[in-house]
Amino acid sequence: MRRRPAALRAVLGLAVRTAPAALLGCLLSAAAVAVVPVAAAWLMRTVLDALTAPATPGAGLLLPVAGLVATGVGAAVLPHVEQLVRGELARRIAVEAQDRLYAAVNSWVGLARFEDPARLDRLRLAQSCGQEAPPQIVLGAVGLLRTALTTAGFVATLAAIGPVLALLVLLASVPVLATEFRLSRAWVGTALRITPYERREMFYGQLLGDVQAAKELRLFGLGSHFRARMRADRAVVDAANRRTEQRAALLQGAPALVSAAVSAAGLVWAVRAAARGELTVGDVSVFVAAVAAVQGGIGTAAALAALAQQKLALFGQYLDVLAEPVDLPALAPVRPAPPLRQGLELRDVWFRYSDRHDWVLRGVSLTLPAGRSLALVGDNGAGKSTLVKLLLRYYDPTRGTVLWDGTDIRHFEPEELRERISAVFQDFMRYDLTAAENIALGDVRAADPDRVRRAAAEAGADGLLASLPQGGDTMLGRAFLQDPDHPEEGVELSGGQWQRVALARAMMRRSPDLLILDEPTAGLDPAAEYEVQELLRRHRHGRTSLMISHRLGTAREADLIAVLREGTVTEHGTHEELIAADGTYAGLFHRQAEGYTAGSTR
Ligand SMILES: Nc1ncnc2c1ncn2[C@@H]1O[C@H](COP(=O)(O)OP(=O)(O)OP(=O)(O)O)[C@@H](O)[C@H]1O
């Protein structure tokens, strides 16, 4: 975790860079708000003393009364001005802080960080405090400044009337300050402890409101089960907060009693001094106001400072996320990723997701010559999708290398490498956007309606687009209305229709050097599968492609087939070669073929 001064510098730097005018306005209005009560107390003293002056009662009242009226107007107007400027400052800082956080998360090259629970806890804290903490800290600092100014004014007032009491009031505030700082540390500890529970609570909350989850939740009657789990996590969070609140009440009680005793003693002293004629009525009034203001001011300042300290400690988590080094840095010398001319090679690739996991790939060696298609087949969990993730550099091999035209892909910038590849994943995304946008996302920078139409045609999704009520402009999914002014509902697609849209998205990338298709036709009906296969065959022609498929009728269309079993390539060759070899592939192929024939003759 970062040190608080560094965090404070970072927050103030953020404010100065993103909203200098609002910050200045905030400081000026805070200073003005701070001065008003001190001025009002002194003016009141002057007025009271003038009224009770034995020689000329009521003389010379004009100026102090005018001043009092002015401070009244100031007290009424200035806090609203300050509120406006504070709001603007808070919004600007929050937007910038949030944007920086997501820019940092977006710069994570691989997927491993998204699968690390401790890191996700920190990210959750960074998300919640990244938006709230910076404005709270800056506004807290401004508020602290304002309170310090007002308090200093009243301390000076007190010192002028009763220096000993001024000292006593200040001494009595030391325990208040110490307690608040102690408590702020306790609150930070609590926040860190409860984050994993809050994250899980959020997860259950999302499940309970998610249409995708709704089917199973209703079928298996899981709603109350997840609600109970959510309540259990909330109970842990509440218990931790309750313990800290109880501790706060206990710790804050004693200093509050000391402050009350000091102010009572001060009042008795002032009244007796006035009775003896040592203080005027005005003195007593300003003295009473000053004791209350100093005690209140010190209490507010302590609370603000403690809150700022607490937010700074949590903001450290945000800064830690921003300061994380690149997760999968390119190897020196970094080279431009060239068009694929010779081919891809996996050379003795070993991979496991972490030291705690088993090996998923165990010495995979495989070549895919440029311009050829390779089908990867194998049992569930054999490591096929994992191999694809290594090609896209979502992870680096634990041992061994992935070579692109003979160069280790770690020498390329990952974005450059990925720009040369297009893919349809097994678990492709369904974006709650229009159909055309869903496709255009495959190449947002170069998307135009013609290109989108061509990609849709290449994926056999043009008919689907034409059949939608507003064509490509139809909102997909039912989470959002088409447009608040034209409240047509979105259209939900079938699984196979979504798959065609995902395929069209992959087709947006013009002439990729490598096309990866992970179960591209799994959700399609037989006629659609045949049609899409035809389209893909044409699209693949002369291109380098890698396809994963459990349907061996589809796999046989590839130039080469590799069988992956328990993390190793056990067979590799053309369909004819593998059938002749009469190994696993041949066995599986004949069994699937028999299944189709048996089905058709039944
Ligand atoms: N992100 C992950 N973290 C840890 N283990 C993982 C992760 N993803 C996959 N695995 C494990 O790696 C192994 C291989 O999974 P992979 O998804 O590569 O298999 P597959 O051959 O594509 O399977 P299928 O045919 O079912 O899609 C499995 O044992 C799986 O549990």
Side-chain angles (χ1 to χ4, degrees):
M1 201 187 286
R2 297 201 154 214
R3 298 178 65 81
R4 268 154 230 166
L8 183 61
R9 272 199 305 278
V11 172
L12 294 180
L14 184 73
V16 170
R17 273 191 303 276
T18 52
L23 181 63
L24 187 65
C26 215
L27 285 170
L28 290 178
S29 57
V33 170
V35 169
V36 166
V38 183
W42 277 100
L43 288 166
M44 180 56 83
R45 175 187 188 240
T46 316
V47 169
L48 288 176
D49 283 350
L51 284 173
T52 53
T56 51
L61 272 174
L62 188 64
L63 268 181
V65 169
L68 263 182
V69 171
T71 56
V73 172
V77 174
L78 284 173
H80 298 293
V81 175
E82 194 196 8
Q83 197 63 29
L84 273 178
V85 196
R86 280 167 71 93
E88 189 54 30
L89 181 62
R91 275 189 296 277
R92 289 190 183 208
I93 300 175
V95 164
E96 183 64 20
Q98 175 163 288
D99 192 50
R100 286 184 189 190
L101 177 69
Y102 286 110
V105 174
N106 197 39
S107 74
W108 294 356
V109 175
L111 301 185
R113 286 186 180 170
F114 290 98
E115 297 168 332
D116 172 0
R119 203 175 244 108
L120 291 178
D121 284 341
R122 187 189 302 161
L123 180 59
R124 149 97 185 92
L125 265 180
Q127 281 166 328
S128 76
C129 78
Q131 214 187 357
E132 290 165 11
Q136 279 175 343
I137 294 167
V138 174
L139 295 182
V142 173
L144 198 63
L145 217 67
R146 166 167 32 80
T147 314
L149 266 179
T150 310
T151 312
F154 279 116
V155 167
T157 309
L158 268 186
I161 300 168
V164 179
L165 253 157
L167 197 66
L168 267 182
V169 171
L170 284 178
L171 282 180
S173 65
V174 173
V176 176
L177 281 168
T179 308
E180 291 297 338
F181 280 104
R182 213 169 133 194
L183 281 174
S184 87
R185 280 196 295 276
W187 278 116
V188 171
T190 308
L192 294 177
R193 264 195 313 283
I194 62 180
T195 301
Y197 297 94
E198 284 188 323
R199 201 156 63 79
R200 257 211 324 247
E201 187 196 4
M202 268 172 57
F203 162 70
Y204 294 133
Q206 273 161 4
L207 272 187
L208 287 163
D210 181 45
V211 62
Q212 207 61 27
K215 287 181 288 182
E216 289 207 8
L217 260 61
R218 273 143 193 76
L219 173 67
F220 297 122
L222 295 176
S224 43
H225 174 74
F226 284 129
R227 270 174 45 228
R229 285 183 162 216
M230 200 175 162
R231 288 178 74 98
D233 282 330
R234 177 49 35 192
V236 176
V237 171
D238 283 348
N241 281 331
R242 191 176 304 115
R243 270 197 304 278
T244 314
E245 273 168 14
Q246 285 166 351
R247 200 169 150 209
L250 277 178
L251 287 176
Q252 285 167 330
L257 279 178
V258 173
S259 293
V262 169
S263 77
L267 182 63
V268 171
W269 173 81
V271 170
R272 289 180 63 183
R276 285 196 303 273
E278 291 164 13
L279 291 183
T280 64
V281 174
D283 286 338
V284 176
S285 102
V286 82
F287 181 82
V288 170
V291 170
V294 170
Q295 286 185 338
I298 286 175
T300 309
L304 282 173
L307 185 74
Q309 164 174 283
Q310 183 186 330
K311 296 292 168 191
L312 278 173
L314 294 176
F315 189 65
Q317 304 272 328
Y318 167 97
L319 292 174
D320 285 347
V321 174
L322 253 62
E324 280 198 289
V326 179
D327 46 347
L328 298 174
L331 283 186
V334 179
R335 305 208 169 101
L340 190 68
R341 298 277 179 246
Q342 297 146 35
L344 272 171
E345 182 187 349
L346 279 88
R347 193 178 289 170
D348 193 24
V349 168
W350 289 73
F351 179 74
R352 58 179 168 191
Y353 280 92
S354 78
D355 297 346
R356 300 177 308 281
H357 288 91
D358 273 347
W359 289 106
V360 176
L361 300 179
R362 301 159 187 266
V364 170
S365 291
L366 190 64
T367 49
L368 169 53
R372 311 293 293 277
S373 56
L374 171 77
L376 204 54
V377 300
D379 300 336
N380 290 131
K384 303 180 294 296
S385 300
T386 302
L387 192 149
V388 162
K389 290 189 227 168
L390 297 192
L391 291 180
L392 284 160
R393 224 178 153 223
Y394 291 145
Y395 305 88
D396 277 341
T398 317
R399 293 213 293 268
T401 36
V402 179
L403 302 157
W404 176 283
D405 277 357
T407 304
D408 187 333
I409 59 169
R410 287 175 299 175
H411 285 291
F412 304 143
E413 290 295 352
E415 307 82 63
E416 266 191 49
L417 171 72
R418 290 169 189 168
E419 273 174 20
R420 298 208 162 274
I421 303 174
S422 195
V424 182
F425 298 110
Q426 202 175 8
D427 50 354
F428 56 82
M429 282 298 295
R430 300 166 184 216
Y431 298 96
D432 286 304
L433 298 169
T434 67
E437 281 173 310
N438 257 283
I439 296 172
L441 289 180
D443 194 350
V444 268
R445 279 170 297 183
D448 62 58
D450 268 353
R451 187 93 178 265
V452 170
R453 264 194 296 278
R454 257 203 317 277
E458 282 177 28
D462 42 354
L464 168 67
L465 252 61
S467 71
L468 294 170
Q470 280 91 35
D473 293 331
T474 308
M475 178 64 89
L476 299 188
R478 300 189 57 198
F480 297 101
L481 292 175
Q482 176 101 0
D483 162 355
D485 297 329
H486 302 94
E488 288 97 5
E489 275 198 33
V491 169
E492 188 50 85
L493 300 184
S494 74
Q497 290 170 329
W498 271 114
Q499 195 159 21
R500 284 189 190 222
V501 172
L503 202 55
R505 184 158 56 242
M507 297 302 167
M508 277 297 288
R509 192 152 276 184
R510 203 174 273 171
S511 309
D513 293 82
L514 173 66
L515 178 65
I516 297 174
L517 303 162
D518 194 345
E519 292 283 359
T521 56
L524 303 183
D525 62 54
E529 184 187 356
Y530 179 77
E531 182 200 342
V532 170
Q533 282 301 345
E534 274 300 305
L535 290 164
L536 285 178
R537 192 177 302 129
R538 255 182 275 149
H539 189 79
R540 276 202 315 252
H541 185 70
R543 292 216 174 117
T544 318
S545 66
L546 185 141
M547 179 175 59
I548 297 177
S549 183
H550 287 292
R551 303 188 189 192
L552 300 190
T554 304
R556 72 176 293 181
E557 300 290 338
D559 301 325
L560 294 164
I561 296 161
V563 180
L564 203 59
R565 263 191 106 179
E566 294 176 4
T568 45
V569 176
T570 52
E571 292 168 43
H572 186 211
T574 63
H575 170 75
E576 289 70 25
E577 283 166 353
L578 296 192
I579 292 291
D582 202 20
T584 313
Y585 175 80
L588 280 173
F589 185 81
H590 290 314
R591 237 175 295 146
Q592 278 195 7
E594 274 165 25
Y596 281 122
T597 334
S600 65
T601 52
R602 216 170 267 152

